[in-house]
Amino acid sequence: MIRIDSVTKRYPDGTVAVDRLSLEIPDRSITVLVGPSGCGKTTTLRMINRMVEPTEGTILLDGEDSRRQPVTTLRRSMGYVIQNAGLFQHRTIVDNIATVPRLLGWGRQRARERAAELMERVGLDPSLAKRYPYQLSGGQQQRVGVARALAADPPVLLMDEPFSAVDPVVRKGLQAELLRIQDELGKTIVFVTHDIDEAITLGTMVAVLREGGRLAQYAPPADLLSNPADGFVEDFLGADRGIRRLSFFPSDALELTTDAVIPADATAARIAAVEAPHLLVTDADGRPLGWAAREELTAGDLRTDRLLPYGRPFVPGADSLRVALDCAVLSPVGRAVAVDGHGRVTGVVSQQTIGEAVRAAHTAGRADEQKVAG
Amino acid sequence: MTGFFDIPSDLQHSWAGLIGLHLREALLPVAAGLLLALPIAQLCGRFRWLYPPVLGLTTVLYAVPSLAFFVVLIDYTGQTELTVMIPLALYSLVVLVPAIVDGVRSVPDETLAAATAMGFGSVRRYLQVQLPIAAPAVIAGLRVATASSISLVGVGALIGNQGALGNLLAAAQKYDRPELAVNAVVTMAVLAILCDVLLVALRVLLTPWMPRGGTRLKPAARRAEITPEGAVR
């Protein structure tokens, strides 16, 4: 465990970058430091590997003062990923990744084999091994940065706004990839970002810092959204924190109805039995085709080209309440389509029903919430 | 008219001999200048306040006429090649020091921070990261210094037979043989061009990592971006 114990960083000109900050960073989880620029988040990160020395306070690694080991040894035991990747432009991709193993004295061959292994792990094509950084896209470079940080299998990974310079689509991919890699490797990750969405997506714990390097709140993301400590945190979370919080509620408790779901070859009697104003028409395999108004439907005359689009379906259990609500909002008939893992319709659910589920979830209490968030 | 390559015997060298001598007197000072410039530039990078006065000093040295250097040096080193080469080495500093300083400064902050964070010591970081990335800028400086040195060697003719191909110019006057002057000028120009081509080839060889058809390093543009945070150990 990394323990930051009332650490202060004051520069010679009197600027206080970090002010008596204390944090306990749990092992094998992602802890995000988030805040506006000038809040000392990068300084805090750099104090962990002593690129910046604290003016006061100590940083303990598994109970031991980080100053007790040689600084280069300390740094080689912590992977570091930086904005724009910070790759060595004069070295090939494989040699970039092999950097820390080489510093640790591994043979060239072994280091390169390890590098090849890591390229695969972070989803890089092996054919890129002999390329130089300028030949890669921003997203690929960032993957190389992650691979390079992981090369010597360090227990700790420090990430300083690693994804902020890539476009939003690539960023989402990299975030998903990081979560996948974290599932496999279980590193202790300290992640710095100014993007609250990124913090909420990635963090097991989120530390919100304010200007002057003071801690505003340290909590799991769901807690942050439900109980911001003060106005600053609330403002920082943004206007739609209620909607965002729905990401932490599962959608599997939603009550689905199937009486409005009819196959394309349904009989007139079957159609007549439906009370709802719109029917969801499915193909022979049960996959959704689209919505139809009941009065326009006559048996045997289903014009699939005249159906309203069913929008995006959600998968109960896998998707959150937020996704379910989004599907209902986007649906032309105000109802979300639920499908199973194979894309077959399991039912439909209205905005009203989702709204009730939202209210129930919000009143369910914080204890339940924390379980879900985990 | 006697031959173009018929060198007067008082020069004590054949044409090829003069070329060898000329290259030695021109290139050794550049090499010495490079060896001198590396630590000076390193100091200027480490202590920023040092750079402006150092630049000023190298410029003043460059402004001192070689003849003035010869007058001072001749008491110590006599009418030798060394008397010619010492001023040339000092002249090369005026291009080499800024070339290395700018080259090293052109290394992006993220790259430096990443190297530090991965556990490079400062010496290793300088040799394995900063210098290789500065190579294109350093070689650009070497090209200017080399061409300038090749042309300046000729001044050595002022202190006797130490001007190599430059002596041909003196001989052209002395023996009224203008073709020797043409020979001197053309040979020096060709030598300068050949050395330049070799340096460009060296750069291409050393920097397979550079995008083809241009350089991404823009030292002047990058300088403004250097922050105290980038100056980590």
Side-chain angles (χ1 to χ4, degrees):
Chain A
M1 186 175 66
I2 301 171
R3 205 169 124 208
I4 298 173
D5 196 2
S6 56
V7 159
T8 294
K9 178 63 193 181
R10 199 179 296 110
Y11 285 102
D13 67 356
T15 326
V16 177
V18 176
D19 191 9
R20 282 162 302 165
L21 179 71
S22 292
L23 278 183
E24 290 201 352
I25 294 165
D27 280 344
R28 306 172 77 76
S29 64
I30 302 181
T31 301
V32 181
L33 308 178
V34 67
S37 52
C39 73
K41 50 195 192 294
T42 293
T43 308
T44 304
L45 190 78
R46 289 186 170 191
M47 285 195 286
I48 296 174
N49 72 353
R50 293 178 55 199
M51 286 168 76
V52 174
E53 295 282 0
T55 317
E56 285 159 32
T58 49
I59 293 176
L60 301 167
L61 307 170
D62 294 324
E64 198 181 314
D65 193 324
S66 66
R67 283 169 290 204
R68 290 193 46 192
Q69 49 180 320
V71 69
T72 49
T73 312
L74 174 80
R75 288 174 187 162
R76 288 170 199 173
S77 72
M78 294 180 172
Y80 193 87
V81 189
I82 198 168
Q83 189 178 354
N84 297 322
L87 299 183
F88 298 138
Q89 52 185 304
H90 62 298
R91 292 190 176 171
T92 57
I93 300 310
V94 68
D95 285 341
N96 259 285
I97 299 173
T99 302
V100 179
R102 293 286 289 150
L103 285 174
L104 290 170
W106 295 25
R108 185 179 295 269
Q109 195 51 39
R110 185 172 157 226
R112 286 198 170 156
E113 276 163 21
R114 172 74 180 149
E117 205 177 300
L118 278 157
M119 287 185 68
E120 199 176 325
R121 170 141 270 154
V122 301
L124 282 169
D125 194 308
S127 69
L128 298 176
K130 293 285 172 201
R131 300 269 181 89
Y132 286 96
Y134 82 91
Q135 294 167 306
L136 270 59
S137 71
Q140 287 173 326
Q141 291 194 19
Q142 211 47 261
R143 282 169 200 265
V144 177
V146 173
R148 183 173 69 172
L150 290 169
D153 203 18
V156 175
L157 214 54
L158 306 176
M159 307 184 82
D160 187 4
E161 308 215 15
F163 307 147
S164 57
V166 292
D167 69 67
V169 175
V170 175
R171 190 183 314 149
K172 278 228 177 303
L174 288 168
Q175 286 169 352
E177 198 88 334
L178 178 66
L179 288 172
R180 181 184 63 75
I181 293 169
Q182 173 64 356
D183 271 351
E184 291 169 16
L185 301 180
K187 300 290 181 191
T188 302
I189 299 179
V190 188
F191 191 106
V192 164
T193 180
H194 58 260
D195 176 357
I196 186 67
D197 282 320
E198 187 165 67
I200 286 167
T201 309
L202 296 177
T204 314
M205 289 292 282
V206 177
V208 183
L209 301 176
R210 68 171 92 228
E211 275 110 0
R214 280 169 303 136
L215 183 64
Q217 189 168 6
Y218 187 40
D223 276 14
L224 211 60
L225 290 168
S226 57
N227 286 307
D230 56 22
F232 170 79
V233 178
E234 198 168 354
D235 282 351
F236 195 70
L237 288 167
D240 56 347
R241 72 180 167 89
I243 300 285
R244 273 213 217 116
R245 199 176 151 224
L246 295 179
S247 306
F248 295 93
F249 300 126
S251 60
D252 48 5
L254 285 174
E255 210 169 300
L256 305 174
T257 58
T258 52
D259 52 325
V261 181
I262 55 157
D265 55 359
T267 60
R270 172 81 178 80
I271 292 169
V274 177
E275 284 173 25
H278 289 93
L279 297 85
L280 182 70
V281 182
T282 65
D283 67 9
D285 292 329
R287 291 192 175 77
L289 293 173
W291 292 98
R294 189 162 55 111
E295 58 268 27
E296 288 176 15
L297 270 184
T298 45
D301 183 29
L302 267 179
R303 296 276 305 276
T304 47
D305 58 326
R306 282 174 54 193
L307 296 173
L308 293 167
Y310 61 91
R312 189 162 69 107
F314 73 100
V315 182
D319 286 324
S320 66
L321 264 189
R322 184 180 178 176
V323 176
L325 178 62
D326 194 58
C327 295
V329 169
L330 289 176
S331 164
V333 301
R335 296 212 267 175
V337 176
V339 295
D340 63 14
H342 303 286
R344 287 185 295 253
V345 175
T346 56
V348 298
V349 58
S350 67
Q351 283 175 9
Q352 286 81 352
T353 309
I354 295 173
E356 280 156 27
V358 169
R359 279 189 294 281
H362 277 227
T363 51
R366 291 186 55 193
D368 284 350
E369 240 174 70
Q370 277 172 348
K371 252 185 272 164
V372 175
Chain B
M1 178 173 150
T2 39
F4 192 74
F5 296 106
D6 189 8
I7 311 295
S9 62
D10 60 337
L11 298 190
Q12 297 174 345
H13 283 285
S14 64
W15 182 66
L18 283 177
I19 289 175
L21 186 66
H22 198 97
L23 284 177
R24 192 170 76 216
E25 285 188 41
L27 300 184
L28 278 181
V30 176
L34 181 63
L35 285 181
L36 208 58
L38 280 170
I40 293 174
Q42 174 65 356
L43 284 174
C44 291
R46 182 63 67 93
F47 308 103
R48 265 145 208 283
W49 56 268
L50 204 59
Y51 188 39
V54 165
L55 265 190
L57 185 68
T58 57
T59 310
V60 167
L61 283 176
Y62 192 71
V64 175
S66 41
L67 191 57
F69 269 116
F70 295 160
V71 168
V72 175
L73 286 172
I74 217 152
D75 284 348
Y76 304 95
T77 50
Q79 287 180 311
T80 61
E81 283 176 30
L82 203 56
T83 308
V84 181
M85 292 197 287
I86 290 173
L88 290 182
L90 294 175
Y91 290 158
S92 71
L93 295 181
V94 80
V95 253
L96 291 178
V97 170
I100 299 168
V101 171
D102 286 347
V104 168
R105 281 187 185 176
S106 75
V107 178
D109 290 346
E110 304 95 59
T111 308
L112 280 187
T116 307
M118 278 187 290
F120 278 83
S122 55
V123 175
R124 206 197 283 253
R125 193 180 75 164
Y126 183 67
L127 294 178
Q128 294 187 5
V129 180
Q130 289 175 292
L131 266 193
I133 293 177
V138 176
I139 290 177
L142 279 176
R143 289 172 62 186
V144 179
T146 302
S148 142
S149 194
I150 285 173
S151 80
L152 284 174
V153 164
V155 187
L158 289 171
I159 55 162
N161 258 348
Q162 300 304 345
L165 290 166
N167 292 347
L168 281 180
L169 292 169
Q173 244 175 348
K174 193 162 145 197
Y175 300 110
D176 192 20
R177 284 178 56 193
E179 77 275 10
L180 289 182
V182 175
N183 181 334
V185 172
V186 171
T187 310
M188 279 194 254
V190 169
L191 284 183
I193 291 167
L194 283 179
C195 287
D196 199 53
V197 167
L198 285 176
L199 282 170
V200 172
L202 178 70
R203 201 215 59 216
V204 170
L205 207 69
L206 284 180
T207 58
W209 47 269
M210 282 214 339
R212 277 173 203 264
T215 164
R216 284 200 307 180
L217 304 175
K218 293 193 186 71
R222 285 226 64 101
R223 212 174 306 165
E225 290 174 31
I226 291 173
T227 63
E229 272 197 335
V232 286
R233 270 151 291 124

